[in-house]
Amino acid sequence: MKQNLLCLAAVALLMSSCSGVMPEEELVINLQEKGAEVAPSMYGIFFEEINHAGDGGLYAELVKNRSFEELEMPEGYYAEGDVLHPKEVCNHLTGKVSHGSFRWTTEPVPGWALQAKDASAAGMKLTKENPKFPSAPNNLKVTIKDASTPVRLINEGYWGMNLVKGNSYRLRTILRTSTDYKGKITALLLSDKDEVLASAPVEVTGSNVWIDTHQMLSPSATAAKGKLALEFDGTGTVSLDYVSLFPEKTFRDRPNGLRTDVAEMLQGLHPAFVRWPGGCVVEGISLANRFEWKKTLGDPAARSGEYSTWGYRCSYGFGYHEMLQFCEDINADAMFVCNVGLGCQYRMGDASPEDKIAYYLDDCMDAIEYAIGDVTTEWGAKRAEQGHPQAFPLKYVEIGNENWGDEYDKRFDIFYKAIKAKHPELILISNHGLGGTGKIEKTDMIDPHWYVNPEFFFQNTKIFDNHPRGKYDAYVGEYACNANVGGGNMRAALSEAAFISGMERNGDLVKMASYAPLLENRNDRSWAVNLIWLDTDQVLGRSSYYVQQMAAENRPTYNVKSNITMSTPRSLEYSAGNLGFGSWNTQVEFKDMKVTGEDGTAANLDLNNATDQKGTWTLKDGVLSQTSSETPTRYIVDGFSSNHFTLECKVRKVGGDEGFFLYFGLSQGAKQGYVYNVAGWNNQTTAVESVSDGRTGGVVSERVSQSLENDRWYDVKLVVAPQKSELYMDGKLIVSYAPETTPLQFFSSGYDEATGEVIVKVVNAEAVPYPLSVKLDGVNQVEKTGKVISLSAVSDMDENSFEEPKKIYPQESEFKGFGKNFSYTFPPFSYTILRVKAN
């Protein structure tokens, strides 16, 4: 609270200084000019098992490697030390064998450790002897030779277990003891200092058969980094098939349920839908480790789990049934993402044989039947067997995940027709973005994804304004500002708020959106920027979380017209910099390169020297060739720097998915500048992108539909002047771009029919207060008193943290100065929503 008061004081000080306040602008809102409706489905969540989002996160299980399956690997994979190598398969896009390496553990029994008198007193090893469940065959054989000091088998869970005084925990153990084991087994809850917080006896039969035991444990004190131990005080052999520790209290008291505080955090986003199971886990590194929903059903002890695409084993605990139940519990629709028989095209990229497509289609149809089929159907009956005879709220099916190309298009059409024929009520989504829908016949929705820097979102709030309508709707299934923003600072959040304003304004096209990734355990950050962070005993939302929450809680019924949507950018000049060549997952050749300066004289371009290089490049007989499938490649020429020149060359695409890159204006060691991305986005679109921190930072120009043919030489000319660049191909102007400043104020306005309120949303991403005069046209009466919800920070570099989880947090207040004409000054670095009663 003290920190918040200091922040408010700092804002007040800034606002009192005339020199630090911008000139007042006027926003005119006409309530009689109704715009697009904002769909009730607009805001949802996207769950994927990444960053231990499920195991060690949302899923309430406290034991790591409870079924002892973590060292199982996909068929054909092998490990060398801490590196896992996938089976080498042919990438269906390139026709070449793909190679890869992924994270692996060197623990002999992941998650488990023996504590004994000495190393000779006891031992443990994994076996598959007489498994309880063939689907999860591993068990742990513990052999005790000396129990003069009791032997403990200890599990610390996922970086500790949060054991809370007064709460109860369910222990389930499936074990068998040999006839020679005469001792007792005691379950213990321990603190991080090995203090005993609870104990309970575990049944011992000595019959050498599997028994399924259940105990309740209640700790006498709280330990955020607690442990579970099984203590043995006799000699002999004990085999363990399954050890699970679950809090009795889960979200909505569901068995095999969810961690309450994390689930409530998700519920706090008011999601209209939940997308599951991914994300890249849908496809797997290759098809061998794709996510298989059928293996997530039934007794958790029988679930096999799978090595996740993101470098650890997913237990399948938070499975299909649990996801559907969660959707029902929070009144959200469900979205199932199916596999079309394609491995991840960014990784191994294998494709199932033609005659196996039907298998993947049948698997998808079974998933639909499990969710909404009648109890007389095979999979509807299985749902009823799990205690849920009524249908679940499945509404959407996404066909594939981040797939593209002719093979995907062919398979999409097969799935679309079959699903629509049996379930016309379902909304089906393709993986296509704004660049076009390839060769498919029809889709209900497309799914563009954006992971970008703040400038992209600030500069592209109008990206949907002129996109064609009528053929499909858009679901922005994955988007986040995740470049150059630390772990996720206020600048990232403000850029997302600006982009959201553009999505809402285009509600006739954009019907749904979900931020990604959703969750991150602080001990395993596989993805740099995520919405919600958690530890064993704490969960917090980044500033972006509160932007999402505020947008969902203040969704207007429909837009109303305003005179401005963002502040006016100013013209800039290109910086003098290097030029270069490149590609994205494409093999390409360049020849006959010629550069002339501003005065028309030829400039020296020494292609033998590259200041920065990525990919496989060769220069032979004047032809610069790039032969790899890397993403991206680049060859930045040394010794040339200018912002006023003409480059002419011939370009030929030899193979791969897309076209080619022409870099220019690169500075700071080729980390900043621009690139013409020609026939990018799956060989469908040409546009200018910014380059930020050495990577493409998002589109800044208009997008032009364009594709390139293989083995055809194109005449290319790039004309760069200080205030404008142009790209010509075969004598035709393709696209141009004039650089300009990034807008830092954004506006959207709508009307909430349920409350009779005008909703005004304003982003101020500048370091000074922003005064605004607001005029409401087309209204009869405006109440003076209304509501203000504002999210602000002292600096746009500020982030929430485990130490200061609410450093950036929405503040709600009453404002008594509303009217048909009123003024309001928005704090620096703020996202503010005004709710004004008007009719």
Side-chain angles (χ1 to χ4, degrees):
M1 177 61 74
K2 184 177 180 181
Q3 179 64 48
N4 286 338
L5 290 173
L6 289 172
C7 292
L8 291 171
V11 170
L13 181 62
L14 278 169
M15 293 173 67
S16 67
S17 171
C18 295
S19 61
V21 179
M22 299 175 64
E24 186 173 80
E25 295 185 324
E26 184 178 51
L27 175 67
V28 180
I29 300 171
N30 192 327
L31 272 70
Q32 298 302 314
E33 294 194 48
K34 182 178 177 180
E37 293 184 359
V38 182
S41 59
M42 185 67 185
Y43 299 104
I45 57 176
F46 159 54
F47 178 88
E48 179 175 13
E49 184 58 82
I50 180 175
N51 309 307
H52 276 280
D55 293 322
L58 176 62
Y59 185 48
E61 174 65 74
L62 294 175
V63 174
K64 180 182 178 182
N65 195 16
R66 63 187 181 182
S67 289
F68 307 102
E69 302 297 322
E70 290 221 359
L71 292 182
E72 290 296 298
M73 61 184 67
E75 182 181 358
Y77 286 40
Y78 69 95
E80 291 181 324
D82 60 357
V83 177
L84 182 68
H85 299 278
K87 180 181 179 181
E88 294 184 349
V89 294
C90 182
N91 186 299
H92 76 273
L93 292 168
T94 65
K96 298 178 181 179
V97 173
S98 295
H99 309 275
S101 59
F102 299 87
R103 184 172 54 163
W104 190 246
T105 180
T106 57
E107 294 181 80
V109 184
W112 295 93
L114 271 179
Q115 187 182 87
K117 178 181 179 181
D118 54 45
S120 64
M124 63 179 179
K125 69 174 183 177
L126 293 169
T127 81
K128 290 185 169 67
E129 297 173 5
N130 185 25
K132 171 70 172 175
F133 300 103
S135 56
N138 282 291
N139 52 80
L140 184 68
K141 180 184 286 188
V142 181
T143 303
I144 302 105
K145 297 178 180 179
D146 182 350
S148 57
T149 298
V151 173
R152 287 179 178 179
L153 178 66
I154 298 173
N155 190 290
E156 296 184 2
Y158 297 94
W159 302 281
M161 299 178 179
N162 186 37
L163 305 174
V164 179
K165 180 181 178 180
N167 288 359
S168 295
Y169 297 85
R170 301 179 187 274
L171 175 67
R172 180 187 177 191
T173 309
I174 300 176
L175 77 164
R176 66 176 184 228
T177 51
S178 62
T179 55
D180 64 342
Y181 185 79
K182 304 303 181 183
K184 301 187 299 295
I185 302 176
T186 306
L188 306 173
L189 296 185
L190 306 173
S191 72
D192 59 342
K193 298 177 181 177
D194 289 338
E195 302 159 317
V196 176
L197 306 180
S199 65
V202 177
E203 183 181 355
V204 178
T205 63
S207 60
N208 207 29
V209 297
W210 293 113
I211 59 171
D212 199 337
T213 72
H214 298 262
Q215 287 80 29
M216 294 295 292
L217 295 156
S218 184
S220 58
T222 293
K225 301 293 182 184
K227 314 174 211 178
L228 168 70
L230 296 177
E231 187 173 81
F232 311 97
D233 66 357
T235 59
T237 301
V238 178
S239 293
L240 298 156
D241 183 79
Y242 182 78
V243 181
S244 169
L245 186 68
F246 237 88
E248 182 182 33
K249 176 65 178 174
T250 61
F251 184 69
R252 299 291 177 90
D253 297 320
R254 299 292 180 191
N256 195 49
L258 308 180
R259 185 173 142 179
T260 301
D261 58 345
V262 181
E264 288 176 347
M265 199 76 173
L266 301 187
Q267 187 179 30
L269 289 170
H270 312 287
F273 64 90
V274 176
R275 173 181 167 185
W276 181 96
C280 293
V281 301
V282 170
E283 312 127 270
I285 294 168
S286 64
L287 288 171
N289 79 310
R290 71 190 185 279
F291 197 97
E292 298 188 65
W293 70 271
K294 287 176 181 175
K295 294 180 179 180
T296 74
L297 302 178
D299 188 344
R303 300 182 189 184
S304 64
E306 183 59 80
Y307 177 81
S308 166
T309 301
W310 297 106
Y312 58 90
R313 192 171 187 83
C314 169
S315 72
Y316 281 167
F318 180 51
Y320 190 39
H321 188 94
E322 288 79 19
M323 183 277 290
L324 293 167
Q325 184 65 72
F326 179 57
C327 290
E328 186 175 83
D329 286 343
I330 63 173
N331 195 31
D333 292 319
M335 180 190 300
F336 174 68
V337 186
C338 71
N339 188 301
V340 296
L342 297 176
C344 179
Q345 293 175 225
Y346 292 107
R347 293 175 174 87
M348 305 305 286
D350 52 335
S352 69
E354 194 89 7
D355 60 2
K356 293 294 185 182
I357 296 175
Y359 166 82
Y360 291 92
L361 174 58
D362 289 345
D363 191 62
C364 178
M365 298 298 281
D366 291 346
I368 295 169
E369 188 173 279
Y370 184 89
I372 61 176
D374 187 86
V375 294
T376 60
T377 64
E378 177 186 1
W379 288 95
K382 292 181 186 295
R383 181 189 70 242
E385 289 172 8
Q386 297 301 310
H388 203 285
Q390 67 272 30
F392 279 118
L394 180 69
K395 186 174 181 179
Y396 309 95
V397 174
E398 181 151 9
I399 301 172
N401 174 75
E402 289 188 344
N403 298 136
W404 68 86
D406 292 351
E407 187 64 31
Y408 170 68
D409 289 351
K410 177 181 70 177
R411 294 175 185 228
F412 177 86
D413 281 344
I414 293 170
F415 276 62
Y416 185 91
K417 291 174 184 176
I419 297 170
K420 275 294 181 185
K422 192 169 184 179
H423 298 284
E425 75 281 9
L426 293 177
I427 296 172
L428 307 183
I429 305 167
S430 80
N431 298 165
H432 298 90
L434 298 187
T437 54
K439 297 179 180 179
I440 67 171
E441 294 181 16
K442 186 179 181 181
T443 183
D444 300 338
M445 302 188 88
I446 60 171
D447 179 11
H449 294 177
W450 285 286
Y451 293 108
V452 295
N453 61 25
E455 284 65 37
F456 175 87
F457 280 149
F458 285 140
Q459 293 166 354
N460 282 274
T461 60
K462 294 186 176 183
I463 197 169
F464 302 105
D465 287 9
N466 297 313
H467 192 80
R469 266 65 166 170
K471 290 186 177 181
Y472 46 73
D473 293 325
Y475 160 47
V476 182
E478 299 181 35
Y479 75 101
C481 177
N482 70 339
N484 308 322
V485 292
N489 58 31
M490 186 61 170
R491 187 167 181 81
L494 294 175
S495 74
E496 291 154 1
F499 195 69
I500 286 169
S501 71
M503 290 195 287
E504 278 196 358
R505 189 175 64 253
N506 288 276
D508 57 328
L509 173 67
V510 183
K511 304 293 186 183
M512 304 164 66
S514 50
Y515 184 101
L518 181 66
L519 292 161
E520 169 203 313
N521 186 305
R522 71 185 301 182
N523 299 286
D524 187 31
R525 179 180 285 182
S526 299
W527 191 266
V529 177
N530 308 282
L531 193 65
I532 299 167
W533 301 344
L534 58 91
D535 203 342
T536 58
D537 61 339
Q538 192 175 357
V539 58
L540 68 92
R542 287 179 38 234
S543 49
S544 290
Y545 172 91
Y546 295 110
V547 164
Q548 297 285 326
Q549 185 183 65
M550 289 167 63
E553 290 178 344
N554 296 279
R555 178 187 60 82
T557 310
Y558 56 83
N559 288 275
V560 289
K561 187 176 181 180
S562 62
N563 62 322
I564 48 176
T565 58
M566 65 182 186
S567 54
T568 304
R570 301 182 302 276
S571 296
L572 291 175
E573 287 193 358
Y574 289 118
S575 298
N578 299 122
L579 64 84
F581 309 90
S583 62
W584 181 283
N585 199 21
T586 301
Q587 298 77 52
V588 63
E589 296 176 345
F590 303 85
K591 71 175 184 179
D592 299 343
M593 275 79 86
K594 176 185 174 184
V595 175
T596 54
E598 178 183 359
D599 59 1
T601 59
N604 180 39
L605 194 67
D606 185 1
L607 295 172
N608 290 292
N609 294 306
T611 184
D612 184 45
Q613 185 177 157
K614 182 183 179 186
T616 305
W617 294 89
T618 58
L619 180 63
K620 184 178 180 181
D621 299 329
V623 178
L624 182 65
S625 302
Q626 198 295 117
T627 55
S628 79
S629 297
E630 290 188 50
T631 55
T633 71
R634 55 182 175 266
Y635 191 92
I636 310 304
V637 181
D638 194 12
F640 176 86
S641 179
S642 176
N643 67 347
H644 205 153
F645 65 92
T646 299
L647 166 68
E648 296 175 275
C649 62
K650 293 183 182 294
V651 184
R652 177 169 69 174
K653 174 184 173 183
V654 178
D657 297 336
E658 305 199 353
F660 62 90
F661 290 172
L662 292 178
Y663 293 95
F664 69 102
L666 294 178
S667 61
Q668 300 179 30
K671 291 186 177 297
Q672 307 294 328
Y674 296 89
V675 60
Y676 273 86
N677 186 344
V678 181
W681 298 275
N682 306 322
N683 199 24
Q684 296 180 109
T685 304
T686 293
V688 182
E689 292 192 81
S690 65
V691 175
S692 179
D693 198 30
R695 57 183 276 188
T696 53
V699 174
V700 293
S701 71
E702 66 174 323
R703 296 166 178 260
V704 177
S705 295
Q706 186 181 20
S707 60
L708 300 185
E709 301 172 16
N710 283 8
D711 299 318
R712 173 185 165 186
W713 286 105
Y714 292 87
D715 290 318
V716 176
K717 182 167 72 171
L718 173 63
V719 181
V720 176
Q723 293 184 329
K724 188 177 184 180
S725 62
E726 298 173 326
L727 176 72
Y728 295 83
M729 293 184 64
D730 293 337
K732 179 183 177 183
L733 176 63
I734 304 299
V735 68
S736 64
Y737 175 64
E740 56 189 21
T741 58
T742 299
L744 293 175
Q745 285 81 34
F746 302 86
F747 318 90
S748 62
S749 53
Y751 193 75
D752 186 339
E753 290 184 323
T755 62
E757 290 174 303
V758 180
I759 299 176
V760 183
K761 301 180 181 181
V762 178
V763 174
N764 178 25
E766 206 143 14
V768 295
Y770 179 69
L772 189 66
S773 170
V774 181
K775 181 180 180 182
L776 300 179
D777 281 347
V779 295
N780 295 320
Q781 185 178 357
V782 177
E783 291 190 14
K784 289 186 176 181
T785 301
K787 188 187 297 183
V788 176
I789 309 107
S790 189
L791 186 75
S792 63
V794 173
S795 166
D796 60 348
M797 298 294 106
D798 283 352
E799 300 183 26
N800 285 344
S801 65
F802 286 96
E803 294 70 32
E804 294 181 277
K806 293 186 177 180
K807 181 177 184 178
I808 304 171
Y809 189 78
Q811 303 293 324
E812 186 174 312
S813 61
E814 189 178 76
F815 183 70
K816 297 183 178 182
F818 290 131
K820 291 184 179 181
N821 294 277
F822 66 92
S823 294
Y824 193 88
T825 299
F826 297 88
F829 305 126
S830 65
Y831 175 46
T832 304
I833 298 174
L834 311 180
R835 297 193 67 112
V836 187
K837 284 273 189 182
N839 57 54

